[in-house]
Amino acid sequence: MKNAVIGNNKQKANLIVLGAVPRLLYLLQQETSSIELKTECAVVLGSLSMGTENNVKSLLDCHIIPALLQGLLSADIRFIEACLRCLRTIFTSPVTPVELLYTDATVIPHLMLLLSRSLHSQEYICQIFAHCCKAPDHQTILFNHGVVQNIAHLLTSVSYKVRMQALKCFSVLAFDNPQVSMTLVNVLVDGELLPQIFVKMLQRDKPIEMQLTAAKCLTYMCRAGSIRTDDNCIVLKTLPCLVRMCNKERLLEERVEGAETLAYLIEPDVELQRIASITDHLISMLADYFKYPSSVSAITDIKRLDHDLKHAHELRQAAFKLYASLGANDEDIRKKIIEAEHMMDRIVNGLSETSVKVRLAAVRCLHSLSRSVQQLRTSFQDHAVWKPLMKVLQNAPDDILVVASSTLCNLLLEFSPSKEPILESGAIDLLCSLTLSENPALRVNGIWALMNMAFQADQKIKSDILRGLSTEQLFRLLSDPDVNVLMKTLGLLRNLLSTRPHIDQIMSTHGKQIMQAVTFILEGEHNIEVKEQTLCILANIADGTTAKDLIMTNDDILQKIKYYVRIIGGFDLCIDFNIC
């Protein structure tokens, strides 16, 4: 059976259909079976698990994992290794629920004990941990069982495979986890701190897989706060290594991984963004990411064409992500990005891609570049990016909607030439619908965009906003549990209540409700910023010709103003609350 199924998926499927798996598992668990027979059974099961995803599903349906975990209690190392090898293959399959590793609380401690048995057991166990650590609770379980201390010494193992799997294990443990990262930074292995070992693995003479994974470890530790962004191991080692991975000499998979990791590293730090932008012509280097697949006529190798097609989406996604991080803060970098070869056309095309991931990355890139006042007035207008952006907003998943609506907020700024055509395209109704979302980020962006739209707008636009939003929804937003929604709603009210004729007109139709809302907020348990914005609304109302009577005839409001004058000082007319 073993010889028949090796490398033959059809034979594997035939054996499974014929009922071989239950019989093999029966023999594996029988006390009367010799250790040699049990080992051979585990080997055959391991070979069957290397077939198709349907094969793995069939094995899981036969409850193979509990049987193999039971086999790990044996004293025979060859049998243990055969069980671990099969478990490794099953757990690395995308159809296997990783929670199966954590169901029995005794499994992880036992796997820790088996780490000392052999090089193969170290390799397989680290690989299992790396693939099954998918969520913060998994990180916590492994961390609490001493995984850091148990695998740290494996980074200096004589076996490359062991070193590599231990390194991968550290990368998933450190990701977005300050607790693990703060521990890693102080771990000693043979007298060297762990970060120093990771830095050595970044050297050019090391395998690319090792360089990339070590760079990930240092990146995740940096993002988690255990390594400073200006530390030499980040600025002089990690960042240059990741830029190297973006070079066209590297494999497509390596270029994708390098760009995505670099994007994550520099995302929050302006100085790292500036350094990356001038390292090895990175911005122009990324333009090559959009040149796959190569023209069919230039490719005679069908396998290469298939490979290029498979990775083309991933390359575009990675490039958009890195451009978004590079241009997050610096105006000069944004200018260089937009001046890159066909950049705006590529973003516009990216917004209509079939791949959701590419669309999301393209929107993020557009959002990053939309923070530039100059580009809003020039490139964004020349390429009419608002049109594809509005299409994206019509029907998209929430994660895309959040970024796309954030971008729309910027396109609706007073100085943006896109503001008028966006208004004419029916944006008010779309934005009002966003304020009804259960997602707080979408509510914030919907009301934020309306706030920008109302800034120095004419009376018709303000009336359309009030009509589309409805008084009930406006005051519902003023009671929103999310303080960001509340602040942006107050900002909208401030912008609606600007210029005397507008103030008087709006207060003549909605004055009673607005004064009730102001009173409600000033009496509530809100922070000083919320109270300040509310008082600014009163300042605007007081600037009206007839609207001010609503304050002057309201003793309760007058007493509150008197109180807050004593507490936080005077306040001026507020009409330009327009932060993006």
Side-chain angles (χ1 to χ4, degrees), residues 14-34:
N14 287 340
L15 278 178
I16 291 171
V17 170
L18 291 169
V21 175
R23 182 64 180 162
L24 288 166
L25 288 173
Y26 172 77
L27 294 171
L28 183 84
Q29 297 174 86
Q30 278 297 297
E31 290 184 12
T32 54
S33 298
S34 67

Side-chain angles (χ1 to χ4, degrees), residues 263 266-267 273 319-335 337-338 343-344 347 360-376 380 389 403-404 406-408 410-411 580:
I266 68 174
E267 187 180 19
Q273 290 159 11
F320 282 137
K321 280 184 179 179
L322 186 44
Y323 276 137
S325 289
L326 283 166
N329 297 286
D330 191 280
E331 184 67 22
D332 290 335
I333 297 175
R334 291 188 196 119
K335 188 171 183 292
I337 291 171
I338 285 177
M343 190 61 211
M344 291 306 294
I347 293 174
L360 176 58
V363 173
R364 280 189 173 150
C365 183
L366 189 67
H367 178 231
S368 181
L369 299 175
S370 72
R371 295 178 179 135
S372 164
V373 174
Q374 181 186 355
Q375 302 310 327
L376 282 174
F380 276 51
L389 185 65
V403 188
S406 293
T407 310
L408 194 64
N410 292 342
L411 293 179
C580 182

Side-chain angles (χ1 to χ4, degrees), residues 99 102 132-144 177:
E99 295 298 336
Y102 305 97
C132 293
C133 189
K134 302 286 188 187
D137 55 330
H138 300 158
Q139 292 173 320
T140 301
I141 292 169
L142 292 171
F143 180 78
N144 290 342
N177 194 314

Side-chain angles (χ1 to χ4, degrees), residues 209-222:
E209 180 189 30
M210 179 172 280
Q211 291 183 50
L212 260 174
T213 312
K216 278 186 175 181
C217 290
L218 290 163
T219 293
Y220 298 158
M221 290 170 70
C222 178

Side-chain angles (χ1 to χ4, degrees), residues 179 236 274 555:
Q179 182 188 22
L236 302 181
R274 288 174 181 151
D555 287 340

Side-chain angles (χ1 to χ4, degrees), residues 404-413 444-446 448-450 452 580:
S405 54
S406 293
T407 310
L408 194 64
C409 288
N410 292 342
L411 293 179
L412 286 168
L413 290 168
V444 168
N445 288 346
W448 193 339
L450 289 169
N452 286 352
C580 182

Side-chain angles (χ1 to χ4, degrees), residues 79-128:
F79 179 46
I80 290 172
E81 285 179 357
C83 290
L84 283 172
R85 187 160 49 245
C86 187
L87 282 167
R88 180 272 313 268
T89 307
I90 290 170
F91 274 120
T92 54
S93 168
V95 301
T96 305
V98 296
E99 295 298 336
L100 292 173
L101 181 68
Y102 305 97
T103 306
D104 185 342
T106 63
V107 171
I108 302 295
H110 188 65
L111 289 173
M112 296 293 181
L113 292 174
L114 292 177
L115 279 169
S116 61
R117 294 298 302 272
S118 69
L119 290 175
H120 286 309
S121 66
Q122 292 168 352
E123 177 193 344
Y124 303 146
I125 291 169
C126 284
Q127 203 168 353
I128 290 168

Side-chain angles (χ1 to χ4, degrees), residues 143-157:
F143 180 78
N144 290 342
H145 281 99
V147 70
V148 172
Q149 294 74 17
N150 278 290
I151 68 172
H153 69 282
L154 302 183
L155 291 170
T156 57
S157 170

